[in-house]
Amino acid sequence: MGKIYKVEIITRPEKFNLLKDVLAQNGIKGLSVSEIMGAGNQKGKVEVYRGNEMTIDLLPKIRVEILTKESALEALIEVAKTTLKTGNVGDGKIIVIPVSNVIRIRTGQEGDEAL
């Protein structure tokens, strides 16, 4: 059994469809997606609501989670970086987490066979 990694990509909501399409073009189909709120260097923004200024500290983001074999890890990271980079604050993060095991519930397969 080879090493398995979970890659979490946190990015701008408007970049998600492009990322999904590029991942599919590169043979990556299995992913989980969550709508999240977050704050980082972007610091939020000030908006006016009913005449009052409001600071919105948490901004909407998308979290994409992908399980991958070690052999495909670097290519996945490069695709994500290339697709998501705008050069502006708020482009997001790519987090790589080692996974000790993956089990496909339906078949009982484990490890990279379960991917």
Side-chain angles (χ1 to χ4, degrees), residues 43-49 52-57 59:
K43 305 286 188 221
K45 57 186 175 181
V46 176
E47 290 189 358
V48 177
Y49 178 74
N52 298 315
E53 278 192 2
M54 295 176 46
T55 301
I56 300 172
D57 297 298
L59 298 173

Side-chain angles (χ1 to χ4, degrees), residues 15-114:
K15 290 293 232 169
F16 171 67
N17 282 328
L18 176 61
L19 177 64
K20 182 180 60 146
D21 292 344
V22 172
L23 289 173
Q25 291 167 9
N26 284 274
I28 300 164
K29 298 177 210 131
L31 51 88
S32 298
V33 180
S34 306
E35 292 182 11
I36 61 172
M37 301 293 284
N41 290 337
Q42 227 169 339
K43 305 286 188 221
K45 57 186 175 181
V46 176
E47 290 189 358
V48 177
Y49 178 74
R50 294 188 177 183
N52 298 315
E53 278 192 2
M54 295 176 46
T55 301
I56 300 172
D57 297 298
L58 299 176
L59 298 173
K61 297 289 180 179
I62 295 289
R63 178 175 49 216
V64 179
E65 298 171 278
I66 303 167
L67 293 172
T68 187
K69 298 177 185 180
E70 184 175 27
S71 60
L73 180 62
E74 289 305 317
L76 170 58
I77 292 169
E78 194 56 39
V79 164
K81 286 189 333 188
T82 303
T83 303
L84 300 173
K85 183 177 180 180
T86 67
N88 297 316
V89 173
D91 279 350
K93 300 273 190 290
I94 300 171
I95 304 147
V96 180
I97 305 162
V99 174
S100 62
N101 199 6
V102 177
I103 302 160
R104 185 184 307 270
I105 295 171
R106 178 177 51 86
T107 63
Q109 291 170 301
E110 295 193 30
D112 51 9
E113 290 180 359

